[in-house]
Amino acid sequence: MELSILGCGSAVPSLRHLPSSQVVSVGQKLFMIDCGEGAQLQFMRMGLKMNRLNHIFISHLHGDHFLGLPGLLSTMALHEKGHAVTVHTFAEGAQLLQSMLKFIIGDTPYDIQYNIIDPNRHQLLYEDKQITIHSFPLYHRVPCVGFRFEEKPKGRHINAEMVKFYQVPTFMLERLRNGEDFVTPEGEVVPNHRLTTDASPSSSYAYCTDTMFDRRVVTSVRGVDTIFHDCTYGDELTHLARERGHATSRQAAEIALRAGASRLILGHFSKRYRSEAELAAQAAEVFHGEIITANELQRIQL
Ligand SMILES: [Zn+2]
């Protein structure tokens, strides 16, 4: 999996950061999380392909997470005939989009589906052979959810030389990846470990913004490798963070630490900061894993 940051600023526009949006790539498939203004231009800047984008997940209906979506979906109407896109959002978000698109585009020339998220529970939103995507409750001023991406266990790596040596037929390869032994036509059993090597580890990612510090988030993201967390403010504005339903960098670090993550990505920065170095330093006092301050056009291997 790879993460592309399209925007990582907070609600008040700034020239340093764009509003929230990012894309998780899994092989050829693209999954967009939130779609603030400017997201479609960033999407193009990063060389991402619209015909590979079939799922869009909206955390909540504040403008800085949502207002890029009518624009993106209108553009798709120009280019993506026969395309299919599912927007995962609350019932109100689906209603809002439907009436907006009816007015702006009329009948969309592509298939648009809505998968309704219940903000109060954990919900499986998407599953295929490679990954699952769940939503879970966050704690903001309005209903809000985070998203948890998990790769399924991967197949073992085939040792091409050994497979050739034992003349393993092609149809057996998938079974070898799943751990089966090979039996030669003469009845000799070749143990799986002679034909394969260990599978690559599966990775996981959780997106947690917008949210105030809340221990229930720890339960929802426990065991995830990389956590992206709301880091709107620094220590000096801890009171404001709670009041506005956001978190400080120290609180983000606390969540990552308790959840056992190996990496924390800080984002959703208030425009008042000219640099995020101080925010990262405060987080580093709590969390000793890798800390990344998000930035536009950044790609992160997950
Ligand atoms: Zn918000």
Side-chain angles (χ1 to χ4, degrees):
M1 293 200 287
E2 186 180 72
L3 178 66
S4 301
I5 306 282
L6 307 187
C8 58
S10 64
V12 183
S14 84
L15 297 175
R16 272 179 57 77
H17 292 298
L18 286 165
S20 297
S21 185
Q22 47 183 253
V23 171
V24 176
S25 317
V26 183
Q28 298 293 306
K29 294 178 192 155
L30 303 181
F31 300 89
M32 179 179 274
I33 309 175
D34 283 339
C35 190
E37 279 178 89
Q40 62 169 320
L41 294 177
Q42 293 290 87
F43 190 87
M44 284 188 250
R45 265 185 204 114
M46 296 199 78
L48 300 167
K49 297 276 178 281
M50 228 174 245
N51 59 8
R52 292 185 184 158
L53 177 63
N54 298 99
H55 291 271
I56 301 171
F57 301 84
I58 301 296
S59 65
H60 66 301
L61 300 175
H62 278 158
D64 58 318
H65 294 254
F66 182 74
L67 284 178
L69 197 48
L72 175 72
L73 294 174
S74 303
T75 304
M76 276 188 178
L78 303 175
H79 301 299
E80 305 300 331
K81 289 193 175 60
H83 192 62
V85 63
T86 301
V87 179
H88 303 257
T89 180
F90 305 144
E92 297 82 356
Q95 259 170 22
L96 197 62
L97 270 177
Q98 269 167 333
S99 53
M100 241 192 269
L101 293 180
K102 199 172 167 194
F103 193 79
I104 305 171
I105 314 171
D107 287 331
T108 49
Y110 57 94
D111 182 24
I112 179 162
Q113 303 280 342
Y114 297 93
N115 182 27
I116 304 302
I117 301 176
D118 177 348
N120 300 310
R121 65 183 186 92
H122 289 242
Q123 194 174 333
L124 175 67
L125 301 178
Y126 175 87
E127 180 169 21
D128 64 19
K129 273 204 279 193
Q130 288 169 294
I131 56 159
T132 57
I133 305 172
H134 284 86
S135 61
F136 55 90
L138 290 176
Y139 305 94
H140 193 37
R141 306 194 301 281
V142 295
C144 186
V145 291
F147 302 106
R148 180 174 171 145
F149 287 64
E150 279 166 299
E151 277 183 331
K152 293 182 175 175
K154 295 176 179 167
R156 296 180 63 78
H157 295 290
I158 300 289
N159 181 333
E161 235 168 72
M162 294 306 279
V163 160
K164 199 172 165 195
F165 178 80
Y166 284 104
Q167 299 180 334
V168 180
T170 320
F171 76 88
M172 269 300 296
L173 296 182
E174 194 54 37
R175 287 155 72 170
L176 293 187
R177 283 191 196 96
N178 292 333
E180 270 186 48
D181 296 336
F182 173 60
V183 185
T184 65
E186 294 74 34
E188 186 197 347
V189 177
V190 185
N192 186 279
H193 67 84
R194 292 184 69 180
L195 300 164
T196 65
T197 52
D198 285 347
S200 311
S202 301
S203 64
S204 50
Y205 173 64
Y207 176 86
C208 312
T209 198
D210 295 355
T211 189
M212 64 175 78
F213 175 76
D214 194 298
R215 286 190 176 83
R216 284 170 288 182
V217 175
V218 174
T219 318
S220 298
V221 301
R222 183 160 282 133
V224 168
D225 307 320
T226 304
I227 294 176
F228 180 99
H229 200 279
D230 187 321
C231 165
T232 309
Y233 305 113
D235 283 344
E236 76 291 357
L237 291 174
T238 306
H239 60 287
L240 195 64
R242 180 143 292 268
E243 200 179 302
R244 297 198 177 160
H246 288 296
T248 65
S249 56
R250 188 176 297 276
Q251 291 170 335
E254 191 77 28
I255 296 289
L257 174 74
R258 287 165 189 257
S262 56
R263 187 155 58 160
L264 170 65
I265 307 175
L266 301 171
H268 202 268
F269 306 118
S270 162
K271 74 168 278 202
R272 74 192 67 219
Y273 300 106
R274 293 245 172 93
S275 142
E276 286 80 34
E278 185 54 32
L279 298 177
Q282 289 167 8
E285 286 175 21
V286 175
F287 178 71
H288 303 298
E290 186 187 354
I291 296 175
I292 297 175
T293 49
N295 210 352
E296 279 70 15
L297 308 182
Q298 190 178 30
R299 288 180 210 274
I300 299 165
Q301 291 301 322
L302 295 174

